[in-house]
Amino acid sequence: MEMSVKKGDLREEKCDVLVVNEFEGVKEPGGATGAVNKALAGLLTKMEKEEGFTAERGSALMIRLNGELPAKRVLVVGLGKRKAFDEEAVREAAAVSYKAAKRVNAKRVVSILHGAGAGKMDPAKAAKAMAEGVRLGAYEFVKYKKSEKKGKPPVSFDIVTDDARAYGAALKGLELGERFAAATVFARDLGNEPSHRVTPEELVRVAREIARKNKFVRVRVFDKTQLKRMGAEAFLGIAQGSDHDPFLVHLVYKPPRAKKRVALVGKAVTFDSGGLQIKPWDGMKTMKIDMAGAAAVLGVFSALAALKPNVEVHGVFAACENMPSGKAIKPGDVVRAMNKTTIEVLHTDAEGRVTLADALVYANKLKPAFIVDLATLTGACVAALGEEISGLMSNDKGLRGKLLESARHAGESLWELPLESRYKKLIKSDVADLKNVAGHYGGAITAGLFLQEFVGATPWAHIDIAGPSYAERPLNAYTPVGASGVGVRLLLEFLRTF
Ligand code: BES
Ligand code: ZN
Ligand code: ZN
């Protein structure tokens, strides 16, 4: 399906579905929707009343026409309350309109630029959010299904505006939104693939493929022998139970004149069985998603060539499987991370922080201005914030602010948890420097404090994405069941601020 921005008058567009919009509580629509309503002699407002349509966020009303306009149907989508209107409302409206159009087998869809009129939104932002809503709302992971008979997607989805000034900005916004969405889809695909396909070696292949396609991206891969020499005993300890070899992957994006350097670190456990302290079936069934942090980093790198942010970006992940076997790490084993800190592994299912210890030490050696790590780290974070909100922990005020702001624009939910230093006593070990489990409570925070031991004084933020990484039910109109690609748009937005 092609998406584009065109100059024109909605009333004159020949299409199968013409999408207009309305705010909640507005009696007489204005702007382009008002013009369409007038051309239809008030049919829209009349039908809305009859059908009890209130323009609530996420709602839509399809009206079949009978030759009054070149369009076959008009779809009115609800934007909700004007006061609460934001980019997220646009994403949802766009996704809802795409799905409604597909349901009636529309070939050509023409849509109003949501929010650019009465919503007073910057047209570039509006068009970006529309591209994201449509592309992510259209996403399906059906490659392993024999048939998928849910109708063909439309051939084209055109955003039409009669505002000459908005046109240029909308064009740029659309392109940006397409890139953000494609990068998110990249991460979703990696997360949805089962763990016997996305193995550590497969993540290496994907990283190499990205570097091959982009002359500004290089990749270095460290295998078991090299990692042993480097002293990455913590990572290797977790990996040793699996038949799949572990790899540490380091991607570099280096634009010609970048001033700042940022390191992005992702948890890359391609399957988390829990190890010898094996998970119950219910806790294990979606654990192919335990590499979502690395998937987000790879998604970001897949888009850097086109987005060309003016910042040097390093992507680091330590890819392995967490499996029980005769070779597996055992509760009570002590491993030494690359910075010489020793870890008593008391729980083999708290493996993520142990693998991340070495990945963070590696990233910190690159002397970045900031480190941001993304990890499906703790069930405790899901207990604290629920399935839709990621937890943010940081040692740097400026970085924290930037990330919260980026998340808001990206349509990702992020909430800060405190890195309370008095809880450090909970991860002190009797036999080593640290232990990898704390008490019953505050598990997201103690995991964050554990990671902090490996970043030195570098400004760093840890984002626990255990909740939103995998949607067990559709989260909104553009996030279906499965891997969500969480973190990709947040990080791309963050990199854009440099
Ligand atoms: N990968 C899990 C965390 C997780 C939970 C991710 C739910 C996605 C959804 C992590 O490795 C884990 O098992 N954590 C344990 C830690 C505990 C043993 C201290 C947990 O949260 O239960
Ligand atoms: Zn685990
Ligand atoms: Zn895990």
Side-chain angles (χ1 to χ4, degrees), residues 9 42 50 64 69 71 81 134 149 153 176 213 223 259 265 288 343 347 404 412 420 443 464 496 498:
D9 185 330
E50 281 184 29
R64 179 74 214 215
L69 288 179
K81 298 218 165 65
V134 168
K149 297 195 193 79
L176 198 59
K213 285 189 190 152
D223 67 12
K259 287 198 192 78
V265 178
K288 64 177 183 181
I343 304 164
H347 205 313
L404 288 170
E412 291 195 15
E420 183 59 63
D464 193 329
R496 225 154 62 90
F498 284 88

Side-chain angles (χ1 to χ4, degrees), residues 271-275 278-288:
F271 188 76
D272 182 9
S273 70
I278 197 161
K279 286 178 185 290
W281 82 271
D282 197 36
M284 208 193 296
K285 63 185 197 274
T286 59
M287 276 305 128
K288 64 177 183 181

Side-chain angles (χ1 to χ4, degrees), residues 270-318:
T270 59
F271 188 76
D272 182 9
S273 70
L276 285 177
Q277 276 148 305
I278 197 161
K279 286 178 185 290
W281 82 271
D282 197 36
M284 208 193 296
K285 63 185 197 274
T286 59
M287 276 305 128
K288 64 177 183 181
I289 202 61
D290 219 16
M291 37 57 78
V297 172
L298 287 166
V300 166
F301 270 83
S302 76
L304 290 179
L307 292 174
K308 302 187 187 68
N310 190 26
V311 54
E312 190 177 312
V313 189
H314 293 255
V316 177
F317 58 86

Side-chain angles (χ1 to χ4, degrees), residues 23-24 57 79-86:
F23 284 106
E24 221 173 310
R57 209 157 143 153
L79 298 179
K81 298 218 165 65
R82 188 175 303 192
K83 259 197 181 151
F85 182 66
D86 57 4

Side-chain angles (χ1 to χ4, degrees), residues 187-398:
R188 281 185 183 179
D189 280 342
L190 278 173
N192 280 323
E193 282 289 347
S195 70
H196 64 111
R197 308 247 178 206
V198 173
T199 55
E201 49 273 41
E202 172 63 8
L203 289 180
V204 169
R205 193 194 62 74
V206 171
R208 288 214 160 103
E209 178 86 8
I210 290 172
R212 199 174 54 77
K213 285 189 190 152
N214 179 355
K215 67 172 175 173
F216 291 120
V217 176
R218 299 228 146 77
V219 62
R220 292 180 73 185
V221 178
F222 300 90
D223 67 12
K224 211 160 73 180
T225 320
Q226 290 163 300
L227 288 163
K228 223 173 252 170
R229 221 177 294 132
M230 289 153 68
E233 232 182 58
F235 171 40
L236 290 174
I238 297 300
Q240 76 198 24
S242 168
D243 288 342
H244 290 280
D245 273 347
F247 297 97
L248 188 136
V249 177
H250 173 195
L251 288 141
V252 190
Y253 161 79
K254 207 169 182 162
R257 273 174 299 278
K259 287 198 192 78
K260 278 247 160 79
R261 181 182 296 157
V262 173
L264 307 177
V265 178
K267 175 171 171 180
V269 175
T270 59
F271 188 76
D272 182 9
S273 70
L276 285 177
Q277 276 148 305
I278 197 161
K279 286 178 185 290
W281 82 271
D282 197 36
M284 208 193 296
K285 63 185 197 274
T286 59
M287 276 305 128
K288 64 177 183 181
I289 202 61
D290 219 16
M291 37 57 78
V297 172
L298 287 166
V300 166
F301 270 83
S302 76
L304 290 179
L307 292 174
K308 302 187 187 68
N310 190 26
V311 54
E312 190 177 312
V313 189
H314 293 255
V316 177
F317 58 86
C320 71
E321 243 186 10
N322 185 24
M323 295 292 279
S325 81
K327 296 178 294 175
I329 196 162
K330 300 180 288 293
D333 287 1
V334 175
V335 291
R336 194 185 304 273
M338 258 164 65
N339 68 345
K340 308 291 182 222
T341 299
T342 55
I343 304 164
E344 183 187 14
V345 176
L346 279 177
H347 205 313
T348 63
D349 197 13
E351 83 299 338
R353 67 197 74 182
V354 185
T355 65
L356 283 164
D358 279 326
L360 287 170
V361 172
Y362 181 94
N364 199 33
K365 282 191 177 166
L366 303 168
K367 302 215 178 315
F370 302 107
I371 301 177
V372 180
D373 81 70
L374 279 95
T376 45
L377 205 61
T378 66
C381 194
V382 193
L385 299 175
E387 293 167 278
E388 303 189 27
I389 305 174
S390 302
L392 170 68
M393 283 148 265
S394 179
N395 62 3
D396 188 86
K397 217 169 161 191

